[in-house]
C-alpha cells in the first residue's frame, strides 16, 4: 500500500542533502518502533516538484512525496502520526494524504526509480564497494536483497531484479546522507516473478537502504 503526501511550500531553503529529514519524519510518525534495527519492508521516495537554487531546493508550489509499505499496519500508523504532527521539514507540512492500494501486476514489470537505487557490496576485508547499473553483478545483489525481504515477510515466491540497461538516460548520482557518500543509480529496474512478488517489490523497493530513502520505485 502507498501513501501519497501533498506538502505545503517551503519557507526555508531545503538543503540538497535533505533525505535524512524524510527518514526522521517517518520514524517520528511511527513513534517508538523496532524498524531502525530490522530489514526495511518499506520504501521512501524523494521529494518531487523542487527547483534548484544556489543553496539548495525550493518548492514554491509545494512538494509530492510517497511512502510504501507491505505491512498495512505501518500505513495506518503513518497516517495517524501525520495527522497528529504534519510538520515535515523547512516549514513544509502535510496538506493532503491519499492512500493507494497496491496495483495488480503481471509476472514482469519495468519500474522507474522514485529515489536512486543503492547497492553495497563488501569484500573479504569488509570494505564496502558501491555498485551501479554499470556493474553486471549489481543485478545479483538486487535479486538477493529482494529474495531476503520476501523470506523475511514469509512470502515463498521467486523473483529477480535487474537494471533496464536499454534506458538511454541512465546515470549515477553521489548522494550524501549524514556525511556519508553513497554512489547510486538512477535507472529503471525490471522485476520478474510471481504477481505477488512484483507487488511486494513495488512496496518495499529495490536495493539496499530503502528505509533511508533509496530504491523506491513507481
Amino acid at each position: 500500500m502507498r501513501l501519497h503526501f501533498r506538502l505545503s511550500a517551503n519557507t526555508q531553503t531545503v538543503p540538497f542533502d535533505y533525505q535524512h529529514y524524510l527518514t526522521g519524519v517517518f520514524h517520528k510518525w511511527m513513534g517508538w518502533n523496532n524498524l531502525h534495527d530490522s530489514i526495511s519492508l518499506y520504501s521512501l521516495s524523494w521529494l518531487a516538484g523542487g527547483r534548484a537554487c544556489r543553496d539548495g531546493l525550493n518548492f514554491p508550489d509545494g512538494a509530492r512525496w510517497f511512502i510504501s509499505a507491505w505491512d498495512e499496519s505501518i500505513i495506518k500508523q503513518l497516517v495517524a502520526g501525520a495527522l497528529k504532527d504534519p510538520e515535515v521539514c523547512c516549514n513544509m507540512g502535510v496538506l493532503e494524504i491519499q492512500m493507494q492500494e497496491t496495483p495488480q501486476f503481471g509476472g514482469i514489470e519495468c519500474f522507474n526509480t522514485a529515489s536512486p537505487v543503492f547497492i553495497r557490496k563488501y569484500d573479504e576485508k569488509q570494505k564496502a564497494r558501491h555498485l551501479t547499473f554499470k556493474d553486471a553483478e549489481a543485478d545479483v545483489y538486487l535479486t538477493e536483497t529482494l529474495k531476503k525481504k520476501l523470506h523475511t515477510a514469509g512470502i515463498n515466491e521467486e523473483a529477480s531484479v535487474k537494471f533496464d540497461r536499454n534506458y538511454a538516460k541512465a546515470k549515477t548520482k553521489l548522494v550524501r546522507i549524514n556525511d556519508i557518500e553513497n554512489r547510486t543509480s538512477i535507472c529503471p529496474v525490471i522485476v520478474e516473478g510471481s504477481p505477488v512478488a512484483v507487488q511486494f517489490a513495488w512496496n518495499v523497493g529495490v536495493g539496499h537502504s530503502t528505509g533511508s530513502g533509496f530504491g523506491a520505485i513507481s
Side-chain angles (χ1 to χ4, degrees):
M1 185 172 286
R2 180 165 292 182
L3 293 176
H4 295 270
F5 299 93
R6 184 168 66 87
L7 308 182
S8 60
N10 60 305
T11 59
Q12 300 175 4
T13 301
V14 179
F16 290 116
D17 303 326
Y18 65 81
Q19 290 75 23
H20 65 285
Y21 287 126
L22 303 184
T23 305
V25 170
F26 174 90
H27 289 285
K28 176 184 73 171
W29 289 343
M30 286 299 299
W32 186 91
N33 62 79
N34 294 319
L35 297 177
H36 280 289
D37 302 319
S38 60
I39 188 168
S40 300
L41 301 184
Y42 55 92
S43 58
L44 287 65
S45 78
W46 282 13
L47 298 177
R51 301 175 185 173
C53 59
R54 186 179 66 177
D55 299 320
L57 299 167
N58 283 319
F59 295 82
D61 300 317
R64 300 179 305 280
W65 179 39
F66 73 74
I67 301 174
S68 300
W70 182 249
D71 185 348
E72 293 189 8
S73 66
I74 292 178
I75 296 296
K76 294 178 181 178
Q77 180 58 46
L78 288 171
V79 171
L83 292 175
K84 182 179 180 180
D85 184 358
E87 180 71 19
V88 176
C89 69
C90 304
N91 288 334
M92 303 172 76
V94 176
L95 297 176
E96 182 182 4
I97 305 173
Q98 291 187 344
M99 189 176 296
Q100 180 185 6
E101 296 289 341
T102 303
Q104 297 296 318
F105 294 116
I108 181 169
E109 299 285 346
C110 185
F111 296 106
N112 291 319
T113 52
S115 54
V117 178
F118 177 54
I119 306 169
R120 184 193 301 110
K121 172 188 176 181
Y122 290 100
D123 61 20
E124 63 277 1
K125 296 182 180 179
Q126 294 302 302
K127 183 178 180 180
R129 177 190 169 204
H130 300 170
L131 303 179
T132 71
F133 70 93
K134 298 179 181 180
D135 300 293
E137 62 181 329
D139 296 347
V140 174
Y141 286 86
L142 287 176
T143 297
E144 285 184 353
T145 302
L146 180 57
K147 286 184 174 181
K148 183 178 180 180
K149 291 189 175 187
L150 284 163
H151 177 76
T152 300
I155 302 173
N156 186 25
E157 301 284 351
E158 287 297 317
S160 66
V161 190
K162 62 182 178 182
F163 284 112
D164 180 7
R165 294 180 175 84
N166 291 322
Y167 180 68
K169 296 182 180 180
K171 61 182 180 180
T172 65
K173 182 177 179 63
L174 192 63
V175 180
R176 183 190 298 271
I177 295 182
N178 294 328
D179 295 325
I180 298 175
E181 293 186 336
N182 306 277
R183 177 62 64 181
T184 66
S185 299
I186 300 177
C187 178
V189 295
I190 298 170
V191 181
E192 186 171 1
S194 70
V196 170
V198 177
Q199 287 182 311
F200 182 82
W202 182 83
N203 280 295
V204 306
V206 297
H208 297 137
S209 301
T210 60
S212 297
F214 295 109
I217 57 178
S218 61

